[in-house]
Amino acid sequence: MTRKIHIGSVAIGSGSPVSVQSMTKTPTTDIEATVRQITALKEAGCEIIRIAVLNEDAANALGKIKRAVSIPVIADIHFDWKLALMAIANGIDGLRINPGNIGATWKVKELVNACQDKGVPIRIGVNAGSLHKDILKTYGHPTPEAIVESAARHIEILEAMNFNMIKVSLKASNVPATVEAYRAFSRQYDYPLHIGVSEAGPPPGGIIKSAVGLGILLYEGIGDTMRVSLTAEPLEEVRTAWSILKSIGLRKHGIDLISCPTCGRTRIDLINLVKEAEARLRPLKRNITVAIMGCEVNGPGEAKEADVGIAGGNGIGLLFKKGVVIKNVKEAELLDCLVETIEGLSEE
Ligand code: SF4
């Protein structure tokens, strides 16, 4: 079991629900656009937001952004301890900075003191693409062992200053290396882990890489907070993260849609029905299971087990609610009936 830290109001580690993070992709100094993006991400289920801080203007923008949003904010800073101090003064809830990259010990000490005073945890973020030269020389490549050793060095610096509000990430774009690095780290340390497959690429490949890597880790009980990194709109990252968590059964979030692949037995336009249903059901904030099945082979079984289900027939569908057939509906009316039935459920 990992230790517990808090990023603002969100608990991380020690069995807390695995939280979903994302990162803004707007220029941080464009406060309006950044707040708009964070608000949309929160609506989609983002629980913690990370913001890149490139310069003093960006660090100062954090204060206004923080006051305008209702989820915890993490400042992402590389090297510049002064920017980190400014970010803390602007009220951020978490900091991503590697202490070994800051320089003189007194600078690290000043930063650690500020974090300690304000209760701001630090994430040590090791990335296979930016390991120290000497570590790379020892291991030859960014191996899982090299990644863990790099994290260990940063941790040592903070531990020497009695700072332990630490969270760690060990990312690589290579899925097996990522999995092995997190496994090796969690055998040696109990700091909470931020998991992710770095630079996973665009969908659908990036989604698959993330689902495989994070799915393995989460199934093994490794990971306390997660970010899916996609070359795409950040909303995609949040939706993918939730799909992974729901698939493993770790958390519930909105409607879990089960549908069959269709085959030669299908006698309704199931693919379009499911596409339209997905779009109409997405805004409904109900943690229920909905099954949309093509025929009487597996249809009634799945539809019965779901909260609401459809088992298709020849131009018609049987509508199930809580395991019982409530209607025989014409194909053209199936979608409306399904949505009405689900909306009815939310009022019960
Ligand atoms: S549920 Fe029926 S239509 Fe759908 S894939 Fe299975 S056999 Fe085919």
Side-chain angles (χ1 to χ4, degrees):
M1 185 75 83
T2 51
R3 304 177 193 202
K4 189 186 280 186
I5 59 165
H6 285 87
I7 303 288
S9 55
V10 179
I12 294 176
S14 188
S16 308
V18 178
S19 46
V20 171
Q21 305 198 15
S22 188
M23 195 166 177
T24 50
K25 303 189 180 188
T26 48
T28 304
T29 45
D30 187 342
I31 296 170
E32 210 183 305
T34 304
V35 168
R36 206 180 313 123
Q37 188 163 74
I38 297 171
T39 306
L41 287 169
K42 190 211 162 205
E43 188 56 26
C46 181
E47 296 170 306
I48 299 171
I49 191 71
R50 183 157 49 108
I51 302 177
V53 180
L54 269 77
N55 50 35
E56 292 191 1
D57 288 343
N60 282 325
L62 289 175
K64 281 192 182 151
I65 295 169
K66 168 79 187 138
R67 286 191 291 279
V69 302
S70 56
I71 53 175
V73 171
I74 295 176
D76 187 290
I77 296 169
H78 288 266
F79 314 114
D80 194 332
W81 66 291
K82 275 192 186 154
L83 286 183
L85 287 174
M86 285 176 72
I88 294 167
N90 274 289
I92 51 136
D93 304 287
L95 189 61
R96 193 262 185 177
I97 193 164
N98 287 343
N101 298 344
I102 293 173
T105 307
W106 66 270
K107 293 180 185 172
V108 184
K109 185 76 191 148
E110 201 169 322
L111 185 60
V112 162
N113 286 345
C115 285
Q116 200 76 266
D117 280 356
K118 302 280 184 192
V120 171
I122 294 178
R123 167 156 71 95
I124 291 169
V126 177
N127 195 307
S130 55
L131 296 181
H132 275 155
K133 279 186 190 140
D134 68 307
I135 292 183
L136 270 181
K137 204 171 163 197
T138 306
Y139 291 92
H141 298 281
T143 62
E145 296 75 18
I147 295 170
V148 173
E149 185 172 328
S150 176
R153 284 192 190 177
H154 294 297
I155 289 170
E156 252 172 53
I157 296 171
L158 295 182
E159 284 181 339
M161 296 176 183
N162 291 320
F163 186 86
N164 53 23
M165 286 188 288
I166 299 172
K167 179 166 60 112
V168 177
S169 64
L170 310 143
K171 297 186 183 178
S173 56
N174 173 296
V175 172
T178 304
V179 170
E180 287 307 327
Y182 278 107
R183 279 178 178 160
F185 183 89
S186 54
R187 283 194 290 270
Q188 296 170 49
Y189 293 94
D190 63 357
Y191 289 115
L193 285 168
H194 163 124
I195 56 171
V197 175
S198 192
E199 297 117 22
I207 291 176
I208 294 165
K209 266 191 192 176
S210 301
V212 172
L214 302 186
I216 293 170
L217 289 169
L218 291 168
Y219 198 71
E220 293 178 5
I222 299 171
D224 301 287
T225 182
M226 65 195 283
R227 189 231 172 161
V228 170
S229 307
L230 297 175
T231 314
E233 287 301 311
L235 277 176
E236 281 289 302
E237 299 185 350
V238 172
R239 288 183 189 138
T240 304
W242 276 110
S243 293
I244 295 170
L245 288 171
K246 287 198 292 186
S247 303
I248 298 181
L250 282 178
R251 292 189 70 185
K252 289 181 186 293
H253 185 257
I255 288 168
D256 191 14
L257 186 57
I258 294 167
S259 61
C260 80
T262 77
C263 70
R265 290 186 193 87
T266 322
R267 305 281 193 78
I268 55 173
D269 182 6
L270 193 92
I271 293 178
N272 278 317
L273 176 64
V274 169
K275 232 185 241 168
E276 287 171 29
E278 201 177 24
R280 291 217 9 214
L281 300 182
R282 188 174 282 153
L284 304 182
K285 306 277 183 211
R286 291 276 294 163
N287 293 338
I288 58 168
T289 305
V290 174
I292 305 181
M293 304 290 291
C295 78
E296 66 281 359
V297 175
N298 295 320
E302 289 284 1
K304 250 188 215 166
E305 289 301 315
D307 294 287
V308 179
I310 288 172
N314 191 1
I316 54 123
L318 287 180
L319 187 65
F320 289 73
K321 182 173 141 184
K322 301 283 182 195
V324 178
V325 177
I326 55 164
K327 254 187 209 169
N328 192 338
V329 186
K330 283 188 204 141
E331 183 176 358
E333 292 157 21
L334 267 174
L335 183 60
D336 286 341
C337 273
L338 179 80
V339 174
E340 266 168 37
T341 308
I342 294 169
E343 282 172 346
L345 271 185
S346 62
E347 286 156 17
E348 284 169 5

